Amino acid sequence: MKKQAKALVQHPTGIIGIILVLFWVSVAILAPMLAPPQDPDNAYMMVRHGFSSLPNPPNGQSPWGTTSGGYDIFYGIIWGSRTALVLGLVTVLATATIGALAGGVCAYYGGILDGVCMRIVDLFMGIPFLIAVIVMTTVWGKGMDKIILALIVFGWHRYARMMRSEVLVVKEQEFVLAAKNMGASPMGIFFRHVLPNALSPIIILMSINIGRMVLVAASLSFVGIGAEPGFADWGQMLNFSRNWISGIPGAPFYYWYTYAYASVAIFTFVLGWTLLGDALGTMYGKQEAY
Amino acid sequence: MNNALITIQSLEKEFVVRRGFFPRPKKIIRAVDGIDFSINTGETFGLVGESGCGKSTTGRMLVRLMPPTSGKIYYQGEELTAKTEKQMLPLRRNLQMIFQNPHGSLNPRMSLEQILEEPLKIHRYPFSNRAKRIRELMDYVGLSQTSMDRYPAEFSGGQRQRIAIARALALDPKFIVADEAVSALDVSIQAQILNLLMDLQKELGLTYLFISHDLGVVNYISDRIGVMYLGKLVEVADCNTLYRRPLHPYTKILLASVPVADPNQTFKAMAWDTPEGDFPAPPAGCSFYNRCRERLDICSRQKPSLKEQAQGQSVACHLFNP
Amino acid sequence: MAIFIFKRVIGIPVTLFILSLMIFSLVLFLSPSERVAVFVSSSDALQSASLEELIERYGLDQPFYVQYGNWVKELLRGNLGWSSSARMPISEALALRIPATIELLFAGQVILLFGGIYLGTLAAEKENRFTDHCIRLLTIVGGAIPEFLVGLFLLILFYVTFDLLPPGRLGMLSTDIVNAPAFVKYTGLHLVDSLLNGQPHVFMDAFSHLILPSMAYSLGGLAATVRLMRSSLLDNLSRGYVPTARLKGLSNRQVMTRHVRRNAMLPVITFMGMRIPVLLSGSVIVETIFNFPGMGMFIVTAAQGLDFPAIIAASLAVSVIIIISNLIVDILYTVLNPQIRLDISR
Ligand SMILES: Nc1ncnc2c1ncn2[C@@H]1O[C@H](COP(=O)(O)OP(=O)(O)OP(=O)(O)O)[C@@H](O)[C@H]1O
Ligand SMILES: [Mg+2]
């Protein structure tokens, strides 16, 4: 375990990934101190300075400026990291659990069950993820919980697929036969021997998918379908900036602050988890884990 | 023979190899093609033959890791093949197996203690005695000084094989299948493990089925030897008899390829130039027909059956059954 | 080969049936009044009859399979319902939007294929030299940046900074030409129609509007095709048939183009097939950024306006696009793969 941690730190992209991930995790944890909310019961709603539809450049009151609608950009970025982290962790834990169990059980028992399972996975593979999530959130209604639910419904199949191929290898190993020879039950063998030894690629995929899920949610908010207006969410902040991208005549970057901070935040957050997953992947000898 | 611990009768195993989801022309592999033998209490029965001849499949069927396609297996007169998985459970503790690959047979995510505790847990060994039992097992296999919270990756191949043996002994088995138990080890360590197995046999009154492709190793440990070729048993004999007077042409080839220390060994001089490669048996005749240097006409038409030739020596070959 | 494609084609109705069932089951989440809109073909019809009448007429209080049957009947008649967000019958809206998305999808796949072949071959030829490393770096970075950041970046760079390559699907002048009665809309694809109508300017205009969005959303996939092409080229080069072909007297270049590259392309084609759903998801974002009026934008507007009939019809349309483009990729694969052709003709 110690050796693996050391190898990870020595991996050139791994260390960058870890630094970025740790940075955003600490920002998310320290959010109440970095950007004290005006209304502690409603901390996820961005602080507003007035209701002007024009963005405001950085000043003493709002260090990174405000978007149209008077939302404080600094506050949004800090609390947006919480939104991203919670969303990423919840969806990834749920999808990985569902997918790994479904794929693992199907592969372990094999036969018709496995055939049916793979047909379903193939069907889900062909569904455009973002469009499916948009359709579901439209039908179910707005809100973070609905988005998370939709992300889970359409995100589990990758884990199932990966788990399946892994379990097919592990279940032929001699220690599984040895356990059977002792008289262990199929369930016991699955949870004690097969599952723990098939998990490492799943962990890699989870790391990469935290970034990917956050990205999809951000895309939703970016096109204006995701979170409710004013919710601290990076995608929504970029959505606010869309009208200001072209600046004013003669000064194309006049409103740079409306998109720069949010872009950098999303990019570094996603990059961090992706690099971490990548480094984990090369460590376990799985190139192209995704 | 009333002291037979294990008896098998016309045991067969077919594998159906299918590619893809849809039923296509299937390929059937007859891994074990009707074999009979019995193993007496307290003896070591060696099973030799080249790779892919069905040795492991036989061994696995004996401990019910695989159901046979047909045929019967008796353990102390009880028919194992007729038992359900549930009925098997109390019997499993008597029938244990040691696997070939010391790297694959231990779960890399379990510590030494967990590995040895697992069989005790499954068979409800009294909780209070477990630690003592684990210590005892470690003593048996000569690992008494080792710390219990280490993982398989921290052990050498020989040490791991000792752990695998300790695990097999945990439930006080009567019969152990050792499938290529030493093939993956260095020669010096092979001897240590073989001696350990023989000591344990004396001490605990075990019966072994010892599987190997290496006749030298089998000869060292076995009392009787069965020679397998393409799923069939071609010769069964006492160890000494087989060495001094092999009958089947295939046994002779195997013996010739064993490096021997004795310079007077007669077979050393025999340079067998048998062709190499894949040899499908003629459907009607002897499975060894295509490779046999002493084949007769009848060999391509009729399958020879295993018949006793002398005291304790049986062979399946038309040369001896005119 | 014909048999192989035939087998593919007969599988399509089954897939379509399952997908249409899944999509129609979305109406179970809707209230009856929301459900009515899925069946009604014009806004007048919504106004003129009372809700009870409409529920009665379309059997919305009937069991699920009856409603599904009614819906399919209406579908086959070309009635997809009324889109409140586009303020027109959905079938008309789709006729305008689907070609735009197909143009984008096609452009994206072209970039994936030819970009992958070109850069992948380059990287393989210069294996482990400077060019190879540059391309690898580019693919890693390109693969990690999300589509909407790439899109925003390209928009800022080419449009805001240099005032080149504006957003939209056509410029003002070309729009007028296309909307004129004299311009015959054979396919709805501007790239095709402009040539058939003898309007090269419109073609160039439509083409230049495709460049940025298709680049923005195929960059992630391009990273993958380059890597795939490189490794599969190197793999094929190390196989036995290269020296044989050289012995037959083919030049190095001929061996490369005739044998190696053709075989090496197969994994890239497979990847393109798998990428179709991803590209369509991406089109939601790039169409929004570049104001490109295709299916992606249609879905977004429908979702914002809670326009359920449009959402359901669009899901169905996207499924059909995916199924057909998959078929095309399969055919491409068969044409390129000598093995399948031999197997089938035997
Ligand atoms: N699970 C299986 N499915 C299909 N075929 C199998 C399976 N297990 C074994 N076989 C086939 O059965 C034949 C006998 O295999 P077996 O493992 O018993 O041989 P072996 O004598 O132990 O060889 P080795 O010395 O290589 O271990 C081989 O041809 C093998 O390919
Ligand atoms: Mg074997």
Side-chain angles (χ1 to χ4, degrees):
Chain A
M1 202 61 216
K2 222 191 253 166
K3 225 174 10 184
Q4 288 172 348
K6 206 166 149 198
L8 194 60
V9 173
Q10 278 162 358
H11 200 277
T13 57
I15 186 72
I16 302 178
I18 288 179
I19 290 175
L20 288 175
V21 166
L22 284 183
F23 172 76
W24 281 117
V25 170
S26 22
V27 169
I29 292 172
L30 300 177
M33 274 163 261
L34 295 171
Q38 279 176 341
D39 172 7
D41 293 335
N42 234 338
Y44 281 106
M45 294 315 276
M46 284 187 271
V47 168
R48 292 184 97 159
H49 308 287
F51 295 85
S52 150
S53 64
L54 270 184
N56 244 325
N59 55 44
Q61 195 187 22
S62 49
W64 290 354
T66 59
T67 62
S68 52
Y71 295 108
D72 188 304
I73 292 179
F74 179 74
Y75 190 91
I77 298 287
I78 298 292
W79 283 84
S81 68
R82 265 198 182 194
T83 311
L85 202 63
V86 168
L87 180 130
L89 289 177
V90 170
T91 50
V92 161
L93 282 178
T95 47
T97 312
I98 297 171
L101 278 181
V105 168
C106 289
Y108 182 62
Y109 287 98
I112 295 177
L113 184 68
D114 191 34
V116 171
C117 195
M118 279 308 103
R119 285 290 135 132
I120 296 175
V121 166
D122 280 346
L123 187 71
F124 272 84
M125 289 284 289
I127 297 176
F129 190 38
L130 182 61
I131 294 184
V133 173
I134 292 179
V135 169
M136 289 328 288
T137 45
T138 313
V139 178
W140 285 338
K142 267 191 186 233
M144 262 308 160
D145 49 339
K146 311 280 172 34
I147 295 179
I148 289 177
L149 197 60
L151 289 173
I152 293 170
V153 169
F154 290 99
W156 60 274
H157 62 275
R158 283 169 186 279
Y159 296 94
R161 211 179 152 84
M162 179 165 280
M163 193 65 184
R164 177 175 180 271
S165 58
E166 204 63 21
V167 166
L168 286 181
V169 174
V170 175
K171 79 169 184 179
E172 298 299 333
Q173 301 251 320
E174 285 181 344
F175 59 80
V176 173
L177 287 176
K180 196 176 166 204
N181 186 206
M182 282 170 219
S185 65
M187 278 295 257
I189 295 178
F190 180 70
F191 282 105
R192 243 176 115 72
H193 297 279
V194 178
L195 207 61
N197 285 291
L199 275 184
S200 42
I202 294 290
I203 290 170
I204 299 165
L205 189 63
M206 282 170 79
S207 174
I208 291 170
N209 262 1
I210 288 185
R212 190 183 280 154
M213 290 293 183
V214 166
L215 210 56
V216 172
S219 311
L220 272 185
S221 310
F222 175 74
V223 297
I225 308 173
E228 8 177 340
F231 198 86
D233 174 75
W234 297 335
Q236 188 175 58
M237 299 178 70
L238 275 181
N239 180 38
F240 285 153
S241 77
R242 268 171 49 210
N243 294 333
W244 312 103
I245 281 171
S246 42
I248 54 174
F253 299 114
Y254 190 78
Y255 294 116
W256 63 272
Y257 51 90
T258 56
Y259 48 81
Y261 292 114
S263 308
V264 171
I266 292 179
F267 180 59
T268 51
F269 185 94
V270 175
L271 191 71
W273 288 101
T274 311
L275 288 181
L276 181 62
D278 235 36
L280 285 173
T282 38
M283 241 176 59
Y284 288 119
K286 300 260 173 202
Q287 300 277 342
E288 313 274 330
Y290 36 101
Chain B
M1 246 187 266
N2 10 346
N3 65 338
L5 185 74
I6 297 269
T7 307
I8 64 177
Q9 288 175 358
S10 40
L11 195 66
E12 289 186 17
K13 179 74 189 178
E14 289 181 351
F15 290 111
V16 181
V17 185
R18 253 200 289 192
R19 276 176 240 103
F21 188 74
F22 296 104
R24 279 185 209 170
K26 298 173 201 166
K27 208 179 140 198
I28 293 178
I29 297 177
R30 311 205 78 199
V32 177
D33 195 4
I35 57 175
D36 304 76
F37 63 85
S38 59
I39 304 175
N40 299 328
T41 310
E43 80 169 343
T44 300
F45 188 89
L47 201 55
V48 279
E50 60 196 7
S51 183
C53 69
K55 308 181 298 285
S56 297
T57 309
T58 307
R60 286 176 186 187
M61 283 191 291
L62 280 188
V63 296
R64 262 288 285 261
L65 278 176
M66 272 178 186
T69 310
S70 70
K72 290 188 171 126
I73 302 172
Y74 295 93
Y75 167 76
Q76 289 185 328
E78 285 186 82
E79 190 185 339
L80 292 187
T81 25
K83 291 195 182 302
T84 63
E85 202 61 43
K86 212 166 170 188
Q87 292 169 326
M88 262 311 282
L89 190 59
L91 279 172
R92 283 207 180 272
R93 54 190 311 164
N94 296 324
L95 308 167
Q96 286 295 310
M97 185 151 182
I98 301 167
F99 294 89
Q100 167 173 12
N101 177 2
H103 298 270
S105 62
L106 304 178
N107 184 339
R109 302 203 181 259
M110 282 164 76
S111 69
L112 182 48
E113 185 168 15
Q114 290 171 317
I115 289 173
L116 292 181
E117 200 185 3
E118 190 181 17
L120 303 178
K121 263 189 193 162
I122 294 171
H123 288 269
R124 311 264 153 83
Y125 199 87
F127 189 78
S128 48
N129 295 349
R130 281 186 198 169
K132 196 170 136 252
R133 177 66 179 158
I134 292 174
R135 272 282 149 227
E136 193 177 31
L137 291 170
M138 301 294 287
D139 285 344
Y140 277 148
V141 297
L143 287 176
S144 38
Q145 305 305 318
T146 318
S147 124
M148 299 299 263
D149 46 15
R150 285 162 74 191
Y151 284 80
E154 300 168 49
F155 292 100
S156 71
Q159 284 174 314
R160 285 193 224 195
Q161 207 57 306
R162 285 171 193 268
I163 298 170
I165 293 171
R167 178 178 61 186
L169 292 177
L171 299 167
D172 260 333
K174 300 276 185 309
F175 175 64
I176 292 184
V177 175
D179 185 0
E180 309 261 14
V182 296
S183 308
L185 305 174
D186 291 345
V187 177
S188 59
I189 301 180
Q190 283 193 357
Q192 287 176 14
I193 299 287
L194 288 175
N195 288 335
L196 172 67
L197 285 172
M198 288 161 82
D199 292 346
L200 288 168
Q201 181 170 39
K202 260 184 237 135
E203 199 172 334
L204 304 170
L206 298 168
T207 306
Y208 290 142
L209 174 69
F210 192 91
I211 298 174
S212 178
H213 59 268
D214 183 345
L215 193 53
V217 169
V218 172
N219 182 48
Y220 182 70
I221 192 170
S222 305
D223 302 311
R224 284 197 301 139
I225 296 178
V227 180
M228 265 186 99
Y229 184 78
L230 282 187
K232 280 190 156 44
L233 213 49
V234 295
E235 182 161 4
V236 181
D238 291 343
C239 192
N240 287 331
T241 317
L242 191 86
Y243 241 67
R244 267 186 285 108
R245 196 167 58 93
L247 294 179
H248 198 280
Y250 179 60
T251 315
K252 291 178 192 166
I253 295 181
L254 279 183
L255 278 170
S257 58
V258 178
V260 276
D262 178 6
N264 298 326
Q265 243 292 347
T266 31
F267 300 108
K268 201 183 170 190
M270 298 170 80
W272 289 93
D273 52 338
T274 42
E276 293 281 321
D278 218 9
F279 294 93
C286 172
S287 52
F288 192 57
Y289 179 78
N290 286 327
R291 275 171 87 177
C292 188
R293 295 179 87 235
E294 305 170 46
R295 64 190 178 199
L296 307 170
D297 258 3
I298 187 175
C299 298
S300 67
R301 284 178 274 115
Q302 196 183 330
K303 287 190 199 298
S305 56
L306 199 65
K307 292 222 174 79
E308 182 146 358
Q309 283 306 311
Q311 177 62 34
Q313 185 169 25
S314 311
V315 67
C317 182
H318 290 301
L319 288 171
F320 307 95
N321 303 307
Chain C
M1 187 158 85
I3 296 173
F4 173 75
I5 291 167
F6 178 72
K7 272 191 190 158
R8 280 291 147 128
V9 172
I10 52 173
I12 288 179
V14 182
T15 321
L16 213 57
F17 173 69
I18 296 173
L19 280 172
S20 69
L21 260 184
M22 281 173 66
I23 290 170
F24 186 72
S25 62
L26 291 174
V27 302
L28 298 179
F29 294 111
L30 303 178
S31 69
S33 59
E34 288 166 335
R35 229 180 276 178
V36 164
V38 176
F39 291 87
V40 168
S41 59
S42 71
S43 61
D44 299 341
L46 263 179
Q47 244 88 100
S48 60
S50 76
L51 197 58
E52 285 74 33
E53 272 173 32
L54 289 169
I55 289 178
E56 173 84 348
R57 188 187 309 162
Y58 294 106
L60 297 182
D61 42 7
Q62 308 266 325
F64 177 76
Y65 63 93
V66 178
Q67 295 188 35
Y68 175 74
N70 288 343
W71 180 64
V72 172
K73 252 184 252 156
E74 295 288 318
L75 271 185
L76 295 179
R77 255 190 257 149
N79 172 19
L80 296 170
W82 173 260
S83 165
S84 53
S85 61
R87 288 197 208 83
M88 58 172 99
I90 292 174
S91 47
E92 277 176 40
L94 290 185
L96 289 174
R97 301 305 189 101
I98 291 176
T101 289
I102 288 180
E103 276 182 348
L104 204 56
L105 187 61
F106 181 74
Q109 294 281 31
V110 166
I111 292 178
L112 286 189
L113 181 61
F114 291 100
I117 290 175
Y118 179 72
L119 290 176
T121 313
L122 202 65
E125 275 172 354
K126 313 259 178 211
E127 190 191 354
N128 289 332
R129 291 220 295 266
F130 182 68
T131 324
D132 185 24
H133 292 309
C134 284
I135 293 176
R136 183 177 308 155
L137 190 72
L138 221 74
T139 59
I140 289 178
V141 175
I145 308 181
E147 283 128 357
F148 60 91
L149 290 187
V150 180
L152 285 178
F153 175 76
L154 290 177
L155 193 71
I156 292 173
L157 187 70
F158 284 96
Y159 179 55
V160 178
T161 318
F162 298 123
D163 203 10
L164 284 168
L165 302 178
R169 194 180 172 201
L170 278 181
M172 298 256 264
L173 273 176
S174 317
T175 311
D176 288 342
I177 299 177
V178 169
N179 287 339
F183 191 90
V184 189
K185 289 189 170 132
Y186 298 98
T187 60
L189 303 167
H190 290 339
L191 290 180
V192 178
D193 290 352
S194 61
L195 294 180
L196 293 179
N197 281 291
Q199 296 279 5
H201 291 294
V202 176
F203 178 85
M204 287 314 293
D205 193 48
F207 182 76
S208 67
H209 280 86
L210 272 177
I211 295 176
L212 288 188
S214 55
M215 260 170 56
Y217 88 153
S218 57
L219 201 64
L222 182 63
T225 53
V226 170
R227 265 181 288 174
L228 264 181
M229 187 73 194
R230 176 182 179 277
S231 60
S232 105
L233 262 180
L234 291 176
D235 180 45
N236 269 288
L237 279 172
S238 64
R239 294 246 188 96
Y241 63 84
V242 175
T244 321
R246 288 299 306 276
L247 275 179
K248 282 197 312 194
L250 297 177
S251 74
N252 221 346
R253 169 137 238 123
Q254 279 173 319
V255 177
M256 195 73 179
T257 47
R258 227 183 264 180
H259 294 266
V260 180
R261 204 187 258 181
R262 190 161 157 160
N263 280 332
M265 251 157 73
L266 295 175
V268 177
I269 308 274
T270 310
F271 177 83
M272 283 167 62
M274 283 168 20
R275 199 71 188 175
I276 292 167
V278 184
L279 284 179
L280 284 171
S281 277
S283 71
V284 170
I285 297 159
V286 293
E287 286 179 13
T288 308
I289 293 176
F290 292 99
N291 204 14
F292 192 91
M295 288 303 295
M297 240 176 113
F298 181 70
I299 289 172
V300 168
T301 337
Q304 283 165 342
L306 296 185
D307 183 357
F308 301 112
I311 279 284
I312 286 171
S315 310
L316 199 64
V318 168
S319 312
V320 174
I321 293 177
I322 290 174
I323 289 172
I324 292 177
S325 10
N326 260 323
L327 184 67
I328 295 173
V329 170
D330 277 346
I331 293 174
L332 195 64
Y333 190 94
T334 335
V335 171
L336 282 171
N337 187 357
Q339 232 153 14
I340 288 191
R341 270 192 302 183
L342 284 179
D343 273 359
I344 299 301
S345 60
R346 235 188 280 136

